[in-house]
Amino acid sequence: MTPPPRGRSSQADAYLLARVRRRRRDRVRHRRKRVGRFVAGALLVLLAVLVVTGFTGAAVWMSSCDLNTLRPVDVGQNSFIYAADGSLLGSIPATQNRQPVDLAQMSKWVPKATVAIEDRRFWSHGALDYPGIVRALFANVQAGHVVQGGSTITQQLARNLYIKKPSQTFGRKATEACLAIKLAREKPRRWILQAYINQVPYGNHAYGIEAAAQTYFSKPARHLTIAQAALLAGLPQAPSAFDPFHRPQQAIERRDEVLRAMLSNGYITSTQYANAVADRNLRLRAGRLYTRIREPYFFSYVREVLERQYGPNTVRSGGLRVYTTIDPRLQRFALDAIKSTLPYSTDPAAAIVSINPSNGAIRAMTEASPGNPKNQVNFASSARRQPGSTFKTMVLTTAISEGISPSTTYLSAPFKYDPSETGSCTTDPPTAWCPETYDHSYAGPISIESGTLRSDNSVYARLSLDVGPENIAAIAHKLGVRTDLRTSDGAYVPSMGLGSRVVTPMDMASAYSTLAAGGIYSKPMAIRKVVLPGGKIDKDAGWGVPQRKRVIPDWVAGEVVRILEENMTGGTGVGAYFGRTSAGKTGTTDNFADAWFCGFTPGLEATIWIGYPQGEIPMRSVHGISVSGPTFPATIWKLFMERAADYAPFPKEFPSPKTSPVWVSHTLQYAMTGGYYNPSNSGSQPQQTTTSDNGNGSDGFVQVPGDNSQP
């Protein structure tokens, strides 16, 4: 058969290809039509149901809320917060102290920016924005979690004015929507917008636009520029996350988002948008509001706890008297210990959080940031940093919980973990997990207990693999760590055992307090009592009642505490020992970016963190030394405890276990494997190493650079 001419064949191929594409488009079109018909049918059914039930349901629903019976929270009563000794820590200002202003007294850009970012159809919809609700619903369903909200400005105002205990229940949301509809019927749009802007929180103790303008720019709201109005309008969604003072980059990104919304709504021109976005300097000028608050870090922490319970409006206007657990003497001892150790303006910041192990009461929470004395970020409760070797205590607790005796032999030698079998320890950065000891010296086969006193990374890397990172994370959570220890892809990695995952000082203080209490966890407690207006004590919230639970057997805690006691007299914690019964562990992170000491007496725990607030900046030359756990953190802990221990006199000794240890025989895959020795980068040759590698990393976890945890 004679083949067709080349040109005719090409035309035939093109024709066939076009037919295939056309059929594919037809199939897609038909599929979309079927889906569309199904959705339309479903909507018609739903509409029919709504028509049948709508009149009766709407009548019942609208009668379920009444603006006249649900009066706004009374304004004009400040809330006061007191220390444990009854001294006043400060007041939370009520509404009249917020200097409410009319819309006419604000910069015209303030309402425009607020509407653009919070509720862009505010002037056209009713109290509820149905397209916005549907859009948010689809976005949340598609994402699998809440990524958008559908609340209008009217709904948010109704929630803050009338609902004293906000929640996410359907009933609460329905009441909120009902109130919003009635509020929109009774009040003009301008009144609603003005009320919202005057009462919404803008962060840093500023409520209402006038207080915000004074707090961030030291000017009245009527003088705010486009960029300044956009910055402030973006804060109410998450004041801490977009805090201009402490997170300027995030604040700028949020401001630009507001500016784009203003441009999209036609409130500003493209030239005004371009000029505002081009200015990357926020030009902040901090005001002097709220400077009379004592212990501002603890004060802010207490306020957050109160707002979670009562809602922000009740807290700032409800006339509460709040009695806390903080001891001003211990606060003074803590600050004295920090400042005497780090007295210079160039020194890194330091934070202390101290807890009573017997009930979880927070006895001290303070910090000093010499390079930024106006800092308002509470490092003790919210700063997330790598804990270094202080996290080895979680690994030790996990191992003992599984019945692995502290006398079990592990290899102290450089260790390479490379499940892919393609990584290297010599590249920069390494492409395998290659933990080494702080001083590059190794002891060969030693017990887990000895490895703890040496804070030996190679021992604890092997032990972390044997007990499993998921089990370490589970024990850490039981003890009191509340920060998520997973990586961004949802994995628990073995390097977590050396402190590669971030935590807060509060996390570590809570976990070590659990050990000090013999394995009984106490939820950290900041508030002893809240007195409501009229003198009634709020007993429903459970203030002052310790929330305690045994989370590990007493013999497990006893074994861990015994080893940490040894660490104070013969391990890395000797610099913190002050001659009394105590236990603790040091920690230093990769490149000396963070340094820790976590320790406790029978009656008091204290966790010390030192680092630069701006980020993981190496502390290689502070007073001429590299800052590690055994240096300044241990010194601060010792200075604090020497004075504070006298105010926590009971108990005198750690709890004696009532149950006996239960040791179990284990096949430990990594205990004596994976060693290698390179004389060029080791301080001393190990007594015994092995080059065998029986483990191929079948658990599938690997952490490459960034976890060279130190003592």
Side-chain angles (χ1 to χ4, degrees), residues 589-624:
T589 59
D590 188 27
N591 203 24
F592 298 93
D594 300 273
W596 299 70
F597 189 88
C598 301
F600 47 87
T601 66
L604 193 66
E605 194 283 341
T607 287
I608 316 297
W609 167 82
I610 296 179
Y612 287 103
Q614 302 91 324
E616 296 182 357
I617 301 172
M619 298 182 291
R620 290 192 173 276
S621 182
V622 179
H623 305 185

Side-chain angles (χ1 to χ4, degrees), residues 227-543:
Q228 291 169 342
L231 175 73
L232 297 183
L235 295 181
Q237 183 188 74
S240 297
F242 304 127
D243 188 337
F245 289 136
H246 308 109
R247 296 188 174 183
Q249 185 57 43
Q250 290 87 339
I252 289 176
E253 292 172 0
R254 176 64 171 167
R255 180 204 67 180
D256 291 351
E257 182 182 355
V258 177
L259 289 169
R260 286 192 296 272
M262 294 175 72
L263 178 63
S264 176
N265 264 30
Y267 293 153
I268 58 175
T269 66
S270 56
T271 300
Q272 289 171 319
Y273 169 78
N275 291 337
V277 170
D279 190 355
R280 312 310 284 174
N281 187 337
L282 293 177
R283 308 187 188 284
L284 301 175
R285 185 182 174 192
R288 296 181 59 84
L289 298 177
Y290 311 104
T291 56
R292 295 182 181 178
I293 293 175
R294 291 172 54 206
E295 314 300 349
Y297 309 110
F298 179 73
F299 187 95
S300 297
Y301 177 79
V302 170
R303 182 168 185 159
E304 291 175 4
V305 174
L306 290 169
E307 289 184 350
R308 286 197 295 269
Q309 176 63 30
Y310 299 111
N313 195 67
T314 298
V315 171
R316 67 176 176 267
S317 312
L320 307 177
R321 283 182 289 155
V322 182
Y323 297 88
T324 70
T325 61
I326 207 75
D327 188 329
R329 295 168 301 189
L330 269 61
Q331 288 284 90
R332 186 172 66 254
F333 299 159
L335 199 58
D336 288 347
I338 293 174
K339 290 186 174 181
S340 64
T341 306
L342 300 169
Y344 305 119
S345 61
T346 56
D347 286 339
I352 293 180
V353 57
S354 180
I355 293 177
N356 181 346
S358 67
N359 57 17
I362 301 171
R363 305 297 283 155
M365 179 189 287
T366 192
E367 62 193 61
S369 185
N372 183 16
K374 295 182 180 180
N375 168 65
Q376 293 184 9
V377 174
N378 191 342
F379 300 125
S381 65
S382 60
R384 289 173 168 78
R385 306 294 281 259
Q386 291 183 346
S389 291
T390 58
F391 211 80
K392 289 175 182 172
T393 298
M394 312 303 159
V395 183
L396 178 63
T397 305
T398 306
I400 294 176
S401 296
E402 295 181 4
I404 300 175
S405 171
S407 63
T408 303
T409 300
Y410 266 76
L411 181 62
S412 169
F415 183 61
K416 177 182 178 182
Y417 179 63
D418 180 26
S420 68
E421 299 184 352
T422 61
S424 170
C425 293
T426 58
T427 57
D428 186 17
T431 52
W433 187 36
C434 310
E436 298 178 341
T437 59
Y438 170 56
D439 58 0
H440 302 293
S441 65
Y442 302 94
I446 59 173
S447 67
I448 295 174
E449 184 170 339
S450 296
T452 305
L453 303 184
R454 287 172 48 87
S455 197
D456 194 307
N457 289 341
S458 65
V459 168
Y460 267 85
R462 292 174 168 88
L463 183 59
S464 296
L465 287 166
D466 277 333
V467 300
E470 299 96 336
N471 295 328
I472 297 171
I475 285 292
H477 183 79
K478 285 183 177 181
L479 294 180
V481 174
R482 293 295 174 258
T483 302
D484 191 347
L485 297 172
R486 291 173 293 185
T487 60
S488 58
D489 57 358
Y492 293 112
V493 292
S495 62
M496 172 176 55
L498 303 188
S500 67
R501 304 303 301 153
V502 296
V503 294
T504 67
M506 179 67 79
D507 285 333
M508 300 305 288
S510 182
Y512 275 74
S513 291
T514 301
L515 294 170
I520 299 176
Y521 166 77
S522 296
K523 183 179 179 180
M525 177 173 59
I527 299 173
R528 295 186 298 111
K529 180 176 66 174
V530 172
V531 180
L532 303 173
K536 180 182 178 181
I537 297 175
D538 183 5
K539 296 183 178 180
D540 295 336
W543 303 120

Side-chain angles (χ1 to χ4, degrees), residues 532-705:
L532 303 173
K536 180 182 178 181
I537 297 175
D538 183 5
K539 296 183 178 180
D540 295 336
W543 303 120
V545 179
Q547 299 182 41
R548 311 195 75 205
K549 178 183 178 182
R550 175 165 294 284
V551 293
I552 58 174
D554 59 355
W555 67 268
V556 173
E559 283 293 305
V560 175
V561 171
R562 178 184 63 79
I563 295 171
L564 295 183
E565 280 190 89
E566 289 183 35
N567 194 53
M568 298 292 283
T569 56
T572 61
V574 293
Y577 186 61
F578 66 110
R580 295 170 65 169
T581 301
S582 56
K585 184 72 183 74
T586 56
T588 314
T589 59
D590 188 27
N591 203 24
F592 298 93
D594 300 273
W596 299 70
F597 189 88
C598 301
F600 47 87
T601 66
L604 193 66
E605 194 283 341
T607 287
I608 316 297
W609 167 82
I610 296 179
Y612 287 103
Q614 302 91 324
E616 296 182 357
I617 301 172
M619 298 182 291
R620 290 192 173 276
S621 182
V622 179
H623 305 185
I625 66 169
S626 294
V627 180
S628 60
T631 61
F632 297 140
T635 299
I636 292 173
W637 190 90
K638 178 180 179 181
L639 292 174
F640 171 70
M641 276 296 187
E642 282 177 336
R643 304 170 70 186
D646 291 333
Y647 297 91
F650 302 106
K652 295 288 187 181
E653 301 294 335
F654 293 120
S656 297
K658 296 180 180 180
T659 57
S660 301
V662 180
W663 306 122
V664 180
S665 177
H666 288 269
T667 300
L668 301 171
Q669 180 180 2
Y670 295 95
M672 298 296 293
T673 64
Y676 70 93
Y677 174 62
N678 184 350
S680 65
N681 64 8
S682 295
S684 63
Q685 188 164 348
Q687 298 173 11
Q688 179 180 345
T689 62
T690 174
T691 56
S692 64
D693 189 358
N694 299 330
N696 294 322
S698 58
D699 57 6
F701 292 100
V702 64
Q703 176 81 0
V704 215

